[in-house]
Amino acid sequence: MTDQKNIGPPRWADRFLEWYCHSKHLDILRGDLYELYDDRLENGSSKFKADIFFCLEVFTLCRPFAFKKLNNENSNTIAMWRNYFKITYRNLFRQKVYSFLNLSGLAIGLACSILIFLYVSDELSYDRFHEKSDRIYRVLEHFESEGNGEHSASLPFPTGPTLQQEYPDQIAQQVRLFNFQSPTLALANKLSEKAFNESQVFFADSTFLKVFDFELLVGNPETALDDPNTILITAGMAKKYFPGEDPVGKFLELQGTQNLEVVGVFRDPPKNTHFQFDFIVSFSSLKQWYGGGYPKNWYWNPCWTYIVLNENVNPEHVEANFPAFVEKFFPDFIVDDVDLELQPLTDIHLHSKLDYEITANSNIQSVYIFAAIAFFVLIIAAINFINLSTARATKRAKEVGVRKSLGSSKPQLVNQYMLESVFMTLLAMVFALIIVALSLPYFNGLTDKSIGFDFLLQPYIVLGLLGVALVVGLLSGFYPAFVLSNFNTILVLKNAHLKTSGLTFRKVLVTLQFAVSVSLIIGTIVAINQLQHLQNKDVGFDQDNILMIPVIRSPMGAHYETFKSTALQSPHVKSMTAVEEIVGAKHQVSNYRFEEMEKSKPFAHINLRHDFTKTFEIPMVAGRDYDMTIQTDDSLAIVVNETLVKSMGWGTPEEAIGKRFYYRNQLKGRVVGVVKDYNVVSKHQPISPFILKLNTRPRAFNLFIKYVAVKVDNNIEASIADLNSAWSSVLPNMPFDYFFLDDRLNDSYRSEQQLSSVTVIFSGLTILVACLGLFGLATFSVEQRTKEIGVRKVLGISSPQLLVLLSKEFLTLILIAFVIAIPFSYLLTQNWLNGFSYRIDLEVWPYLVAGFMTFLVAFLTVSYHSVKASTINPVDTLKCE
Amino acid sequence: MKHTQLGEFEELVLLIIGSLGDNAYSISIKEELKNHTQRNPSIGALHSAFNRLEKKGFLDSYEGGATNKRGGRSKRFYKLTTLGRKALDQSYELRASLYHTLPKLGLSND
């Protein structure tokens, strides 16, 4: 019996009993429980068991008869609550300016946070609606040697089925998506002569609907993609191609050659998937394009391959098989350079930045930045609320005095002011929701989303919003409530001068607010600068007035030279070439072997036709460009960029000329030219060693040549008309389609554009909200000092002096805020910029501009009051005492 | 009559308190109930029954008999009041008179 703690029943249960039990019963009940406890121990129960029973018994004693009487409740409670509401209501309308500032600040803050919450939750919801989403993985291929190569989201044709065959106990299903690597494919409803170039057409294995949960409105999901020459279309496309008809059983013609029967219609797929599709063609339809079977090549990797793991299979165990798998199946010359990896489906949208993504993904960093902004806006708004409420508190000192002398207890006063504050936040929440409902369409436009307001009406979100309002209300009501309830009754009622309590606290909060606002402004300026830096056209090639015409899998291959010479007859068409990918956005990778190399290695390259450097105005540094008159250029000559020369250690570009390379394993070709470096992909990445490969074979238009690129003069309309007529002279049956290169290149920076436009708007709003708060505080401060101002005016203060007197206090705070913001924003922006290969250097001026702007806005806010104060007639303020 | 109505559990508790005489307190009542009926009411259920019965005036209580086991806390002993005794009598008579009206050997499938 030395240590009571370890021998007796559990202390917490005992305390709990003491807490709820009425003192009248406590001793007896406790005695009973102890006796029972002891009896159990004597009867040989373990201590643990006895403890459990003790606890159970404590809980069974939780009955009404045992409870303490809540003695401070009495019949006028309801009346008091009604009174609280009445006072809240009266205060709201008596001080209209304050109430407006308070509510609008908070409402704006809440609305911003809600909007960003919507954005963030939409971003996080990508690909999660599939029932098997936690088991679906995309297979990736890292094909890299000494930093050159590719990280591919797509794989060779045989990979998916072979994986499934090899590891049937781990892999339940696989599905491949394929689109000829073509930006668009032509589809036509011949009967009604509707023909379009479609960009969202995929060939997919028949398991597509078993892996992914896309809903079929019409058609049998079990068998829909089993047969060759069948196609599933979305409801939207059904309207586009078959208006007013039932599409099932009708035919669509693909690329002018293959008839596909429509066997089902999808409900329009949700937007939150990492790939959007309009048409799914059965995979077996491909056989006719490849001589009756699928390509068996393990080098060409055009298929996005997804696998479903069996339940409870650890993806790491599957990945452990990959080295052996690669060894067994991939061709010898690349085996050492290939690594396969599994990527969870749900990671694709936010975490994946590979080569050959189906569409550009979003990135998690923007989500973090947005979430941080939302948090800051909310904090600033809450601080406002606290500041204005405490500032107002002194106005209500009399009310508190009267309440106290009439017997109000401190907890009651705290309750009252907490209630008021929660009520105000709920009101602000209502306004915020109205703002959200009104601004959602614009926000959707800005962020390229289609979020509906009904998303907010889900029960758990409604509860969440209420929760947020409650928490903000309680937090911001907390401080004022305690300040108010602590007023000394006698002093207050005697009208003694009240020390403006909480002034330092408010100053700290205002400083914090402005520090955050200044940081956001600095961040915004930096983001805009970086965006401009990325978008400036200093990419090493000319992107103005260049038209890109998609030609893959069209008969253009046979007619290219005719088309080119016809088009060049137009005075508006300056130059023409044909390329594999969009120049400056994308490239392919292929194996090359130069003379010093033991074996071939992957290099970034692009297939092209003559006049590439002329069309894109890329200067030659050494040697010559491919020449029309030299027939063998196609196989025995190669043009490389400066970085390749450097990475190979060939010395100067001139020295690189004449270096040999292997063609079909024979040392045959030579480097004939070196072009000046240009950005082969977006400026997110540095310039890599790069090869320009001439490919004049007409069959190249099936895969290696995707676009015709045309440089036109400023008369765009006439140029297009001329090109169109040249096009129809060679391909009368194909739709003529084109886009401008610079538009497409700008799309590469869409996520930065979004980020900067969102930060501009939201940092503007934070400044607005912070200024609302400052305005309120200044109003209050002037009101407090009317007498002082009166006396000073009588003694002859000038208006400028008055201005200094009133604004000095606030402007010092902003100065401090500015000093705090500098290191904070420096770290943040530095961190963000480090993610870019091409980045601006941080300069001093954004800081100065942000500081000056904030200072100016704050000064104007405060000086409004100074001007007003300077027009006061001292008689009015001094006459009554 | 309404206020004298007894629940089944209350009636049992009253009977046991009567039979225990001077040693009727929660734990002993609990033990007796367990012995006679094989059911083991929680201490909470018992106390709440005592409380109800006391309010109805069927029970009287006094404190005393502190033991070491209880950490020196007293027990609350219960005693039947005259009213309580009357209620038990009434309920017994009612049952007995109803019982006598049962037809003899009513269990036809014996």
Side-chain angles (χ1 to χ4, degrees), chain A residues 28-29 32 35 39 63 65, chain B residues 25-26 44 47 51 69-70:
Chain A
I28 305 289
L29 294 180
D32 282 357
E35 190 173 343
D39 284 348
R63 285 159 192 266
F65 80 89
Chain B
Y25 78 107
S26 50
H47 273 289
N51 224 53
K69 252 188 186 178
R70 303 172 60 91

Side-chain angles (χ1 to χ4, degrees), chain A residues 172-191:
Chain A
Q173 258 143 4
Q174 67 90 27
V175 63
R176 289 169 291 175
L177 301 181
F178 175 71
N179 64 357
F180 291 117
Q181 294 183 314
S182 163
T184 59
L185 291 170
L187 279 170
N189 174 1
K190 282 280 165 193
L191 290 178

Side-chain angles (χ1 to χ4, degrees), chain B residues 35-91:
Chain B
N35 291 341
H36 285 287
T37 64
Q38 266 75 48
R39 57 180 176 185
N40 192 3
S42 77
I43 196 84
L46 276 174
H47 273 289
S48 111
F50 297 155
N51 224 53
R52 272 198 311 276
L53 289 168
E54 209 174 347
K55 260 195 196 149
K56 289 183 187 172
F58 298 153
L59 286 180
D60 239 351
S61 69
Y62 57 96
E63 294 182 13
T67 63
N68 239 353
K69 252 188 186 178
R70 303 172 60 91
R73 298 180 183 88
S74 14
K75 304 166 179 173
R76 180 171 284 160
F77 290 103
Y78 295 94
K79 233 173 56 184
L80 271 184
T81 57
T82 339
L83 192 62
R85 178 65 203 230
K86 222 186 236 163
L88 281 177
D89 289 347
Q90 269 179 9
S91 134

